[in-house]
Amino acid sequence: MAASRAHSRIFVSHLAGQAVFDQDGDQVGRIRDVIVALRDSGERPRVLGLLVEVTGRRRVFLPMTRVNIVEDGRVVTTGLFNMRRFQQRPGESLLLAELADRSVRLVSDGTPVHVVDVAMDQDANRDWEVTRLFVRRPGKGLRRRGETSVEDWEAVTGFVPEDGGAPTTTALSVAFEKLRPADLARAVRELAPKRRAEMVATLDDERLADVLQELPEGDQAEILDRLGAERAADVLEAMEPDDAADLLGDLPTEQAEQLLGLMEPHEAAPVRRLLVYSDDTAGGIMTSEPLVLPPDATVADALARIRTPQLSPVHASQVYVCRPPLETPTGRYLGIAHFQRLLREPPATRVGAALDTGIHPLRPEQPLAAVTSFMATYNLVAAPVVDDAGHLIGAVTVDDVLDHVLPADWRERDMPSESSKTDHSPDGSDGSDGYKGPEGDRDSGGAAEESGREE
């Protein structure tokens, strides 16, 4: 998320009722609340997204990963967001509806205070957190209104119950919050079945999608079954189309069709196209969402797209240049603009003048062995796939190739990871329901979404 640094602190009351615009300047809705994840550890809550009212008074979830600018008076979103009606999930709280107007106490002396407003700031990783509270003390004597002050989140207590009981699932998610998806998937597999189901329920759609993509097929199907059809469709929408197609291809046809029918049409369409191909061909392992630009885009435009935080390194390694339309299947495929070549060109240069046209694209029907040899021969981390008419329909990436050439059970084997250097199981033993606390589980990389979402 790229947000304005000039106005990094926002009081939530200033956001309520503000319009949300897309990148073209069209209004798409109005903000009604802010959704956060409270942490049992007392750490600052992470902002998961915005509750936005769209046409027809429908309230939907807009994840912060799809918010480009947050300023007083202006909120701009990037791309589409899910139009399904918002349903609050375990571990989620609404700032205006649930945290504002609360009575809490100051940690320093136990003085009761009333929460008037809540502020959120952007941290060094460009994530948003609740950091400050505007509070009012009780009035004294004849004074009807007490003194007000702005306090750090850590300076008050009372938002999270301090009953000293068993650790909640939210606390467990805090312990896992910084694990990479592959390490989190391994940790989830080691949990007892009941705790695993609870843990899965707290993950947002995008985080759960990342985890599912790292699990063996049997675990994927089991978790998907437990989600219920509606949420399963939401998670499939958050997955990469090729991974969603792989998962659906392993399900009974009737169940797969039901889930595709529940997905938004524009999300289901690329998955349906991929299901046509055998999973041991270029078409079966390609992603249908490569980075595509027209030939008249500039090098500066291309580098700006590559810098998008949500774009994985392998997808950012090269730009595919095509005639419009730019969504697969595109217009005529023209060539590849490699990242390193773009760095050597002046920013105003057209990407059409920086093409590598010497590498012939793959065909969707080519077998996996041919794809592997092709990428090894030309030292590629990604390769274009075009149809008989010369339209780009996707790209094969090296991680997907490895996923198909490694033994079928490779995800189930023990292997070194960041989490294994500490205790990726929450109790440091064999995946039972014990809990040691978040310390020692916070050193792995990766995004943190504690409770609810980030579609």
Side-chain angles (χ1 to χ4, degrees):
M1 178 184 66
S4 171
R5 293 188 177 276
H7 300 276
S8 62
R9 177 171 300 167
I10 302 291
F11 277 92
V12 178
S13 63
H14 298 169
L15 283 178
Q18 286 190 9
V20 178
F21 299 91
D22 63 19
Q23 287 183 305
D24 296 326
D26 297 324
Q27 183 175 333
V28 295
R30 289 191 178 276
I31 298 173
R32 296 307 178 199
D33 216 320
V34 177
I35 302 139
V36 301
L38 289 181
R39 310 186 192 190
D40 298 270
S41 60
E43 294 181 68
R44 295 174 173 180
R46 184 172 298 279
V47 178
L48 303 175
L50 305 175
L51 182 60
V52 177
E53 187 175 279
V54 295
T55 305
R57 301 185 66 82
R58 176 188 293 267
R59 295 192 172 192
V60 302
F61 175 75
L62 172 60
M64 293 305 288
T65 53
R66 297 188 184 177
V67 174
N68 189 43
I69 296 174
V70 180
E71 294 178 346
D72 288 349
R74 188 164 67 128
V75 175
V76 179
T77 178
T78 60
L80 300 172
F81 55 93
N82 199 318
M83 295 298 290
R84 283 198 173 88
R85 193 178 301 277
F86 169 74
Q87 291 185 334
Q88 194 169 351
R89 294 178 181 161
E92 292 178 349
S93 297
L94 302 177
L95 281 187
L96 289 174
E98 298 175 12
L99 299 192
D101 290 329
R102 285 277 292 274
S103 293
V104 294
R105 291 183 176 275
L106 296 178
V107 174
S108 58
D109 57 10
T111 300
V113 292
H114 181 76
V115 178
V116 179
D117 205 348
V118 183
M120 61 186 199
D121 284 77
Q122 201 174 28
D123 64 17
N125 296 321
R126 297 188 175 183
D127 294 324
W128 288 87
E129 295 180 324
V130 174
T131 57
R132 304 287 191 277
L133 300 169
F134 181 59
V135 301
R136 186 185 304 278
R137 290 168 171 76
K140 295 181 180 180
L142 298 177
R143 296 184 62 180
R144 295 183 179 180
R145 300 171 68 88
E147 296 179 351
T148 60
S149 62
V150 176
E151 305 288 344
D152 290 339
W153 172 266
E154 297 84 357
V156 303
T157 183
F159 286 110
V160 179
E162 299 178 1
D163 55 12
T168 64
T169 305
T170 305
L172 188 62
S173 68
V174 171
F176 287 157
E177 68 178 21
K178 294 200 173 185
L179 294 184
R180 298 179 187 274
D183 296 332
L184 178 55
R186 192 172 295 111
V188 166
R189 290 190 70 232
E190 294 178 355
L191 292 173
K194 180 176 182 296
R195 183 53 62 90
R196 182 191 304 176
E198 293 172 348
M199 183 67 189
V200 165
T202 70
L203 297 176
D204 67 85
D205 291 343
E206 190 161 300
R207 181 74 157 155
L208 181 54
D210 290 340
V211 170
L212 280 180
Q213 290 166 180
E214 302 295 339
L215 287 170
E217 295 174 0
D219 293 296
Q220 288 181 333
E222 177 190 343
I223 289 176
L224 210 65
D225 282 340
R226 291 179 178 273
L227 292 178
E230 288 285 347
R231 174 133 199 247
D234 290 346
V235 173
L236 286 167
E237 289 177 356
M239 296 177 71
E240 294 291 333
D242 54 322
D243 291 307
D246 288 343
L247 200 165
L248 289 171
D250 294 327
L251 299 178
T253 303
E254 184 177 341
Q255 183 183 5
E257 280 299 325
Q258 178 195 17
L259 293 173
L260 282 167
L262 290 171
M263 294 171 65
E264 294 291 334
H266 70 276
E267 299 279 5
V271 179
R272 289 185 184 278
R273 289 197 297 270
L274 291 173
L275 285 169
V276 172
Y277 303 107
S278 171
D279 60 5
D280 59 354
T281 63
I285 65 174
M286 69 182 180
T287 176
S288 58
E289 297 181 346
L291 181 52
V292 181
L293 286 177
D296 57 351
T298 66
V299 168
D301 294 331
L303 293 176
R305 291 286 300 276
I306 287 173
R307 283 195 294 270
T308 302
Q310 290 75 31
L311 198 63
S312 68
V314 68
H315 286 107
S317 64
Q318 54 201 33
V319 172
Y320 302 92
V321 181
C322 305
R323 299 289 183 192
L326 302 181
E327 293 185 358
T328 56
T330 68
R332 186 165 66 90
Y333 168 74
L334 301 177
I336 299 172
H338 297 285
F339 171 55
Q340 287 185 324
R341 171 71 183 274
L342 293 172
L343 290 176
R344 295 194 295 266
E345 296 289 341
T349 302
R350 305 294 182 183
V351 293
L355 294 182
D356 181 350
T357 57
I359 297 177
H360 297 291
L362 295 165
R363 299 292 182 180
E365 67 277 3
Q366 286 186 266
L368 181 60
V371 173
T372 306
S373 298
F374 175 84
M375 297 184 72
T377 298
Y378 294 103
N379 297 317
L380 298 175
V381 295
V385 182
V386 303
D387 61 17
D388 292 336
H391 303 142
L392 181 74
I393 57 175
V396 172
T397 57
V398 67
D399 55 325
D400 288 324
V401 171
L402 289 173
D403 196 15
H404 285 77
V405 299
L406 287 169
D409 63 345
W410 73 269
R411 294 186 187 277
E412 303 176 42
R413 301 181 181 184
D414 292 332
M415 58 186 298
S417 67
E418 288 296 318
S419 60
S420 64
K421 294 176 183 177
T422 56
D423 286 314
H424 62 262
S425 176
D427 60 353
S429 59
D430 59 358
S432 63
D433 282 349
Y435 178 68
K436 188 179 65 174
E439 296 82 1
D441 285 304
R442 301 178 56 82
D443 293 332
S444 298
E449 300 92 23
E450 293 75 25
S451 78
R453 329 161 174 265
E454 205 167 313
E455 300 181 21

